[in-house]
Amino acid sequence: MSDQVNDPVNDPVNDPVPGPADAPAAVPGCGPANGPDDAGEDPPPPAGWPVASIVVPAHDEEAVIAGGLARLLDGSAPGEFDVVVVANACSDRTARAARRPGVRVLETPVPGKAHALRLGDAACRTFPRLYLDADVELDAASVRALVAAAARPGVLACAPVPDWDLAGTGRVARRVHRVHDRLVAPLRGLAGAGAYLLTGRGHARVFPMPDVISDDGWVHGSFAPHERVTVPEARTLVRPAPTVAAHLDRRVRVRLGNRQLAALGRSAAEGRLRLGSLAALVRGRRVSPLDAACYLAVLLADRVLTRVRARRGGEVQWGTDGGSRSRPAR
């Protein structure tokens, strides 16, 4: 089975957006036939061209993909965004749920998030390009804020700030998330928000993306601190793992991904979290002693499980977190 695409340009059930046949003449750095303009920042798109391309890799996301796309596109002008959803090795009806006006849907039987990102990236029509997790919500105003930030001189990549939806999260898991977020927030950079945006020049640093576990870690490590920015005006809604078991599974993937990045010469966004930082949170009453105790217990289990999986080969597949992603977007 080969990769397939449903394109609004040729699909009568979808509203058309500018495509190769009906778009204005391409300009350097903007059109699909042109690479990024290495001499400077991305030039403004011509009239009628999307202001950004958006790639949404999705593996078994039938429960949330329609709601996420609705939030993304509500309030946007027709054709303002070039949206590509990649239904990746799905066993459910993700592709069907994603089909709506203004969205192109690609389907592939090949597993792996990096493959889905490369496939969607190849279908993009413009720069800058936003890469958005299917279980994360982002609205049109936030996309515009990211595009505006990327237009600043010297900025090659940017990311939104995550807001955490803890509804349905267990008590212990909630304490762990509270501590972890306060520890990693100053170190997050481009990772952990479920979305990042690349300019044309930034894209040349990142793609073609290798088969890495942590795509946002790879992106973060591709840029110096002065080349990447976090945009407070742009917010994602992220639903963390609802149980300790789900959190552990996710953290093990993160640790194995960080080891892989280190082997590839890319530093992890989180850096090394130290107990002194946790003690400072407790002293400052930003977290309670019980919060800290829960976090330390889960951290110990996290490290033990990471070592066990690493000894077994460390193979991690990109899959659906059935706990958080089964909660429909509101």
Side-chain angles (χ1 to χ4, degrees):
M1 179 179 176
S2 60
D3 299 330
Q4 297 178 342
V5 59
N6 292 95
D7 191 333
V9 172
N10 301 312
D11 188 346
V13 302
N14 289 316
D15 293 337
V17 296
D22 55 3
V27 298
C30 287
N34 296 283
D37 183 359
D38 292 330
E41 307 304 320
D42 295 337
W49 199 275
V51 300
S53 284
I54 303 173
V55 178
V56 185
H59 173 74
D60 286 349
E61 303 285 9
E62 178 186 359
V64 296
I65 189 69
L69 291 172
R71 181 164 184 177
L72 175 66
L73 294 174
D74 286 353
S76 67
E80 182 179 5
F81 305 136
D82 168 39
V83 183
V84 181
V85 172
V86 183
N88 176 281
C90 294
S91 60
D92 65 359
R93 297 180 295 179
T94 294
R96 182 175 180 180
R99 293 190 177 101
R100 56 167 290 160
V103 176
R104 290 180 288 151
V105 179
L106 282 67
E107 297 182 66
T108 176
V110 180
K113 185 178 182 182
H115 171 76
L117 289 168
R118 291 192 299 266
L119 190 64
D121 183 72
C124 288
R125 292 171 173 158
T126 194
F127 290 100
R129 295 180 182 176
L130 173 69
Y131 304 85
L132 175 66
D133 288 354
D135 59 335
V136 169
E137 293 186 32
L138 184 74
D139 62 20
S142 291
V143 177
R144 296 185 193 110
L146 290 169
V147 171
R152 301 173 193 164
V155 175
L156 302 184
C158 57
V161 175
D163 291 324
W164 301 96
D165 178 4
L166 297 177
T169 304
R171 292 182 180 179
V172 176
R174 185 172 299 200
R175 292 182 183 276
V176 173
H177 289 309
R178 183 181 301 124
V179 175
H180 186 74
D181 182 58
R182 285 162 173 73
L183 284 173
V184 304
L187 308 171
R188 182 175 286 119
L190 300 180
Y196 49 84
L197 182 139
L198 303 175
T199 67
R201 293 172 61 205
H203 175 272
R205 297 265 190 96
V206 173
F207 282 87
M209 181 179 288
D211 290 321
V212 291
I213 299 168
S214 174
D215 63 295
D216 54 2
W218 172 263
V219 171
H220 176 91
S222 299
F223 303 99
H226 68 277
E227 296 174 323
R228 58 182 187 242
V229 296
T230 300
V231 184
E233 299 82 5
R235 318 289 294 197
T236 49
L237 183 64
V238 182
R239 297 176 178 85
T243 65
V244 171
H247 175 79
L248 281 171
D249 187 59
R250 185 174 292 181
R251 289 302 304 166
V252 169
R253 291 200 303 271
V254 169
R255 286 189 180 275
L256 292 175
N258 288 346
R259 290 186 181 187
Q260 183 187 51
L261 291 175
L264 294 171
R266 300 289 172 103
S267 60
E270 288 184 3
R272 183 175 293 275
L273 303 180
R274 301 185 183 279
L275 290 180
S277 300
L278 178 58
L281 290 179
V282 176
R283 287 196 303 269
R285 297 186 178 182
R286 298 185 63 197
V287 301
S288 71
L290 182 56
D291 291 339
C294 290
Y295 180 80
L296 287 173
V298 173
L299 179 65
L300 177 61
D302 164 11
R303 291 182 174 178
V304 170
L305 286 173
T306 300
R307 290 174 183 172
V308 170
R309 288 199 186 179
R311 288 173 182 172
R312 292 177 178 175
E315 184 176 353
V316 177
Q317 297 293 336
W318 179 49
T320 295
D321 177 348
S324 62
R325 298 185 187 186
S326 62
R327 287 182 277 166
R330 292 191 298 271

